[in-house]
Amino acid sequence: MASLTILSTTKPSSLLSSTLSSTSPQEFKFPAKSQRPFSSTVKFRAKPFKACAFPSNNNDNGEKDDCFSTRRSLLVCISTLPFLFGLHEFLEDLSAKALQSDTNTYMLIKEEVRKVVSKGKAAGVLRLVFHDAGTFEMDGNSGGMNGSIVYELERPENAGLKKSLKILDKAKGEVDAIQQVSWADMIAVAGAEAVSVCGGPTIPVQLGRLDSLEPDAEGKLPRESLDAPGLKQNFKRKGLSTQELVALSGAHTLGSKGFGSPFVFDNSYYKILLEKPWKSSGGMSSMIGLPSDHALVEDDECLRWIKKYADNQNMFFDDFKNAYIKLVNSGARWKSL
């Protein structure tokens, strides 16, 4: 997102065309996302069983007794129980295996990401997440976390992201050699690990996203020049609240825009926003942040959350984690069992 584009200072480099062509979503055989444990919905509706020593053809009222049919229905139900219980166990086993496969792949992705994403590279990787997922629009359910960023690297707002994608390409190659994974999943997990590497919260990421085969529409990321009302409206179209806007903006604590250490994920962003150093006449202080950052602290609703996060880092971590999960699930197309 443009309001989140301050995370990386790298310059554009050539895109690995061989990487993109070799990781077509059509080739992915990534295991489906985990399902809830199967529970049987079969219901037996046999008539109440009538006690009878030996049924006669007619009852006292001259009506045909249905004791035979009732007993026959019950016998049929009983005879099918072993099959039904077997199916239940089979589906539960299938679901458990899919869940275990997801878990193994998730741990493999995390392991390979940790090998290539250092604290110095974390800001660019996290920015990659925002620019892939940030195209989501609720109206039309378009864009979102779908790996389309691999087709959008030449856009001005994505300058510098080729290097971040190249970093992840190495890790993805190692994972694909064992279990193919989508770019959408790879980027989502990598962003969470980038936060963790720098001391931020641990963020669980569900797997199973499908990759897009084409770029998302242009002009969906919020511009750096937007004021607070414009930012809030843009995020609202993405299904994100003002609180989530402010929480996600805290990612700007990473990078080289002056919000604390560029390699530490903490709540320094909010503390420095409250100081408004850009209004100072002293040298580099005027270079801290972007217009969109400065706008947040001038808005009463945003300011309320900025103060909360400046005072309580644990609250910021919790809210950032939840907002991040929501962001990387936005617009995602999922594989099914």
Side-chain angles (χ1 to χ4, degrees):
M1 300 178 183
S3 65
L4 299 170
T5 55
I6 65 171
L7 294 174
S8 175
T9 58
T10 55
K11 301 296 182 181
S13 59
S14 58
L15 175 62
L16 299 179
S17 58
S18 60
T19 298
L20 303 185
S21 61
S22 65
T23 55
S24 169
Q26 295 176 324
E27 299 176 0
F28 292 150
K29 298 179 181 179
F30 190 72
K33 67 173 183 176
S34 59
Q35 306 290 323
R36 297 184 202 171
F38 174 84
S39 59
S40 175
T41 56
V42 178
K43 296 181 180 180
F44 300 107
R45 296 185 179 276
K47 297 179 182 179
F49 182 72
K50 296 181 179 180
C52 53
F54 212 93
S56 59
N57 290 334
N58 296 288
N59 58 23
D60 293 339
N61 296 324
E63 297 175 346
K64 199 169 193 178
D65 199 348
D66 64 351
C67 190
F68 272 149
S69 61
T70 300
R71 293 178 65 186
R72 184 164 54 249
S73 298
L74 183 59
L75 288 173
V76 170
C77 290
I78 293 174
S79 67
T80 60
L81 284 176
F83 169 76
L84 292 172
F85 287 139
L87 178 62
H88 184 121
E89 292 173 357
F90 170 76
L91 291 178
E92 280 192 330
D93 182 61
L94 186 63
S95 178
K97 287 180 178 179
L99 179 60
Q100 184 60 47
S101 180
D102 270 6
T103 300
N104 293 341
T105 304
Y106 181 52
M107 297 307 296
L108 177 61
I109 295 173
K110 286 165 62 84
E111 179 183 351
E112 293 302 327
V113 165
R114 289 275 179 157
K115 293 178 182 179
V116 298
V117 178
S118 63
K119 291 183 178 181
K121 298 173 182 176
V125 171
L126 188 54
R127 179 171 171 250
L128 192 64
V129 177
F130 292 138
H131 283 235
D132 190 34
T135 57
F136 177 64
E137 295 278 352
M138 289 194 302
D139 185 13
N141 193 29
S142 61
M145 196 73 217
N146 56 18
S148 68
I149 189 68
V150 301
Y151 308 113
E152 302 159 6
L153 296 173
E154 299 302 328
R155 296 177 182 177
E157 64 268 27
N158 294 330
L161 290 180
K162 288 182 182 179
K163 186 173 183 179
S164 297
L165 190 71
K166 184 177 180 180
I167 291 169
L168 294 187
D169 177 69
K170 181 178 180 181
K172 188 174 186 299
E174 295 296 325
V175 176
D176 283 343
I178 300 173
Q179 174 65 66
Q180 287 194 320
V181 62
S182 68
W183 267 115
D185 278 347
M186 192 73 194
I187 294 171
V189 175
E193 288 306 294
V195 170
S196 180
V197 163
C198 294
T202 298
I203 306 174
V205 177
Q206 183 178 359
L207 300 185
R209 296 168 188 77
L210 294 170
D211 278 339
S212 173
L213 299 178
E214 59 186 11
D216 288 337
E218 296 189 52
K220 301 300 181 181
L221 296 175
R223 298 187 306 277
E224 297 174 358
S225 59
L226 284 177
D227 58 12
L231 286 170
K232 290 194 288 186
Q233 185 60 36
N234 186 283
F235 273 65
K236 184 178 180 180
R237 292 198 300 270
K238 304 178 189 305
L240 296 168
S241 67
T242 298
Q243 177 186 3
E244 289 164 333
L245 158 64
V246 177
L248 289 173
S249 295
H252 288 187
T253 192
L254 295 180
S256 57
K257 286 297 181 180
F259 293 108
S261 169
F263 312 123
V264 177
F265 191 96
D266 57 17
N267 64 342
S268 295
Y269 173 77
Y270 304 104
K271 293 179 179 179
I272 294 175
L273 279 183
L274 292 175
E275 295 172 359
K276 301 182 181 180
W278 53 89
K279 290 189 175 183
S280 170
S281 58
M284 295 301 292
S285 62
S286 62
M287 301 296 291
I288 295 175
L290 296 171
S292 53
D293 293 310
H294 306 166
L296 293 179
V297 77
E298 302 299 336
D299 179 84
D300 289 342
E301 186 179 10
C302 293
L303 180 60
R304 180 163 60 90
W305 290 109
I306 290 171
K307 289 180 177 179
K308 286 178 180 292
Y309 296 149
D311 291 337
N312 191 329
Q313 181 167 280
N314 289 334
M315 176 186 289
F316 163 51
F317 278 13
D318 286 341
D319 287 352
F320 182 88
K321 176 184 69 175
N322 294 331
Y324 183 93
I325 292 171
K326 185 174 180 178
L327 178 69
V328 298
N329 289 347
S330 297
R333 304 296 189 271
W334 301 92
K335 290 189 176 183
S336 58
L337 184 64

